[in-house]
Amino acid sequence: MKIVTQVKLLPEADQAAALRSTLRAVNNAAGWVSQIAFERGVPREYELRKHTYAELKARGLGAQAAQHTIKKVRDAYTVLKANIRAGNLGKEGSKRRRTAESKPIAFRPEAAQPYDDRCLSWQYDQQTVSIWTRSGRLKNISFVCSPDGLKTLQQYRKGESDLIERDGVFYLVATCEVPEAERYEPDGFIGVDLGIANIATASTGYMAAGRGLNRYRKRQLDLRRKLQKKRTKSAKRRLKARSRREQRHAANQNHIISKTIVTEAERTGRGLSLEELKGIRTRVRLRKPQRVALHSWAFSQLGDFIVYKAKRAGVPLVFVDPAYTSQTCAECGHVDKRNRVNQGLFICRGCGVVAHADRNASHNIAQRGENVWNAGRESRVPATP
């Protein structure tokens, strides 16, 4: 299982200047390579290398840096092609898709640059790194991270690491190959209902209310509107900073929620059952005031956090169809859209049971998860007479 670990670099002033100059040089070169790739119809990496490698070396990039720059550009076009094929940029002929297809991919000056073990080495005991720059190899650059992050780096780091700059601060994002824990046989399942009013509701009774997070986002939305009206450079800088701050806040909340859910499943020896919510933004129709809440909430991020934490802990996990989970009674199985009286109240028209709507849905998801798990274990081979 691949996860990423981020460390913060603490370079001296001259080291920071060298890192910044290197990032800008490689990303400027990536923009030039992107122009060549676009003009030549995005050839394969080997052919693109024949047209650009010598020029990149002449610009002062080392052999490995030049190779990584070419590969970064080719990978960017591969991702663009996949997004177009998946319809993420709209239908054929849409304005957004025409814009993406009509010009070369651009690279920001501070965009990430990959480093392999030939141009980056780690000294874990001293918590320093040695890294290639256009000014030569910089040694003994200190870094800081959490104790768990350092332990993960020491044991499982493998492959490339990306150097990035955010607001003048440099980070290294390392890829780690962490082995998955052996899954145990679950004693039942915990259903997790994901929503906006309540971010996550578990069938065990745990509920992560979204009131605080939604209030925080509304406040950030109001501040963004005020800054957008100013239309000054300083306002744009503050908008970027606030956007990243909001993303970090939401990610932190999702980490807390996912850890709580996975820990409870591991403690009780049960599995986890989640809704399959991919494509929800294209399926759900909402009024205009509700769209902001739907599109600003990280639906997939919380699910991804639960998935990788469950894999690390060996917790069995299944995905189920979320259709009618909010309209089905968990007690008698009666399905009626009128069962869902409002956002928080469920009253079954079949048996009369009264329950919290999200908790009722979480019990349905738990039951479906157990059915999916048992169906997967059943043998499809006919029994011999």
Side-chain angles (χ1 to χ4, degrees):
M1 175 179 62
K2 287 186 178 181
I3 65 171
V4 294
T5 301
Q6 179 176 282
V7 304
K8 179 180 178 181
L9 297 182
L10 303 175
E12 302 292 338
D14 56 336
Q15 294 174 332
L19 290 173
R20 186 170 294 109
S21 173
T22 300
L23 268 184
R24 276 145 181 73
V26 294
N27 283 306
N28 182 55
W32 174 78
V33 175
S34 177
Q35 179 71 38
I36 299 297
F38 183 78
E39 292 173 355
R40 295 182 174 272
V42 193
R44 293 180 179 274
E45 185 180 335
Y46 177 75
E47 184 181 348
L48 183 60
R49 189 180 298 126
K50 290 194 297 183
H51 296 295
T52 58
Y53 181 75
E55 174 63 22
L56 292 178
K57 290 283 289 180
R59 292 186 178 209
L61 272 63
Q64 290 302 111
Q67 300 279 17
H68 284 304
T69 300
I70 296 168
K71 187 176 184 299
K72 177 170 75 171
V73 172
R74 189 63 184 82
D75 289 345
Y77 277 100
T78 301
V79 172
L80 174 62
K81 186 177 180 180
N83 282 327
I84 291 174
R85 191 187 306 117
N88 297 334
L89 298 178
K91 298 179 180 179
E92 186 175 359
S94 65
K95 182 178 178 181
R96 187 181 178 193
R97 179 165 171 175
R98 287 200 312 269
T99 301
E101 293 176 324
S102 62
K103 58 183 180 181
I105 294 176
F107 292 85
R108 292 175 290 106
E110 67 277 6
Q113 174 67 12
Y115 280 76
D116 60 17
D117 289 340
R118 294 185 181 183
C119 43
L120 172 68
S121 60
W122 299 75
Q123 296 80 45
Y124 301 112
D125 294 337
Q126 296 80 24
Q127 285 196 212
T128 61
V129 296
S130 170
I131 188 170
W132 171 88
T133 68
R134 293 181 71 211
S135 304
R137 197 172 185 94
L138 301 181
K139 298 181 179 180
N140 300 322
I141 301 180
S142 300
F143 70 84
V144 291
C145 65
S146 66
D148 287 341
L150 181 61
K151 183 178 179 181
T152 302
L153 282 172
Q154 287 179 302
Q155 294 180 347
Y156 306 118
R157 187 192 67 79
K158 186 177 181 180
E160 298 176 351
S161 303
D162 288 346
L163 174 67
I164 59 175
E165 181 186 3
R166 295 197 198 113
D167 300 326
V169 181
F170 294 94
Y171 300 90
L172 279 172
V173 182
T175 303
C176 300
E177 286 276 1
V178 179
E180 297 181 15
E182 184 178 354
R183 291 193 305 181
Y184 53 79
E185 186 64 27
D187 182 19
F189 275 78
I190 297 175
V192 182
D193 178 61
L194 305 179
I196 295 175
N198 297 305
I199 300 175
T201 304
S203 55
T204 56
Y206 169 74
M207 181 180 293
R211 189 181 303 110
L213 182 58
N214 290 331
R215 198 163 47 228
Y216 171 84
R217 283 181 167 163
K218 186 179 183 302
R219 186 166 65 250
Q220 295 298 317
L221 179 62
D222 293 338
L223 290 171
R224 282 201 301 272
R225 285 171 177 164
K226 291 179 182 178
L227 289 171
Q228 286 168 349
K229 289 180 181 179
K230 295 182 182 295
R231 297 188 177 185
T232 61
K233 289 185 177 180
S234 61
K236 291 179 180 178
R237 286 197 299 269
R238 292 187 64 186
L239 279 169
K240 285 185 179 180
R242 286 196 171 277
S243 175
R244 287 192 287 267
R245 188 181 305 165
E246 184 178 347
Q247 290 173 2
R248 291 195 298 270
H249 180 81
N252 182 60
Q253 293 297 315
N254 283 338
H255 271 300
I256 294 172
I257 295 168
S258 59
K259 184 175 182 180
T260 302
I261 292 171
V262 172
T263 301
E264 176 67 12
E266 185 181 15
R267 184 184 67 82
T268 57
R270 286 182 280 184
L272 287 173
S273 177
L274 298 180
E275 301 170 281
E276 180 59 70
L277 291 176
K278 291 188 181 299
I280 188 171
R281 289 181 173 86
T282 58
R283 296 198 312 265
V284 177
R285 295 180 179 273
L286 295 171
R287 295 185 179 92
K288 193 171 182 179
Q290 297 173 303
R291 293 173 194 166
V292 175
L294 176 71
H295 288 272
S296 65
W297 186 66
F299 278 99
S300 62
Q301 187 187 67
L302 178 57
D304 291 343
F305 286 174
I306 293 175
V307 168
Y308 95 79
K309 285 178 169 59
K311 287 182 178 179
R312 292 195 69 176
V315 175
L317 185 142
V318 295
F319 286 92
V320 301
D321 184 2
Y324 305 109
T325 52
S326 62
Q327 301 175 13
T328 304
C329 177
E331 295 293 331
C332 68
H334 178 68
V335 182
D336 192 329
K337 66 179 181 180
R338 295 174 296 176
N339 287 348
R340 183 77 178 260
V341 179
N342 54 42
Q343 194 282 321
L345 181 61
F346 182 92
I347 301 178
C348 179
R349 290 180 173 266
C351 65
V353 69
V354 180
H356 189 283
D358 292 339
R359 286 206 175 97
N360 176 78
S362 68
H363 286 291
N364 288 325
I365 294 169
Q367 182 60 50
R368 291 187 184 186
E370 192 160 355
N371 293 340
V372 169
W373 179 265
N374 291 332
R377 291 188 304 169
E378 291 178 0
S379 174
R380 298 291 184 253
V381 180
T384 55

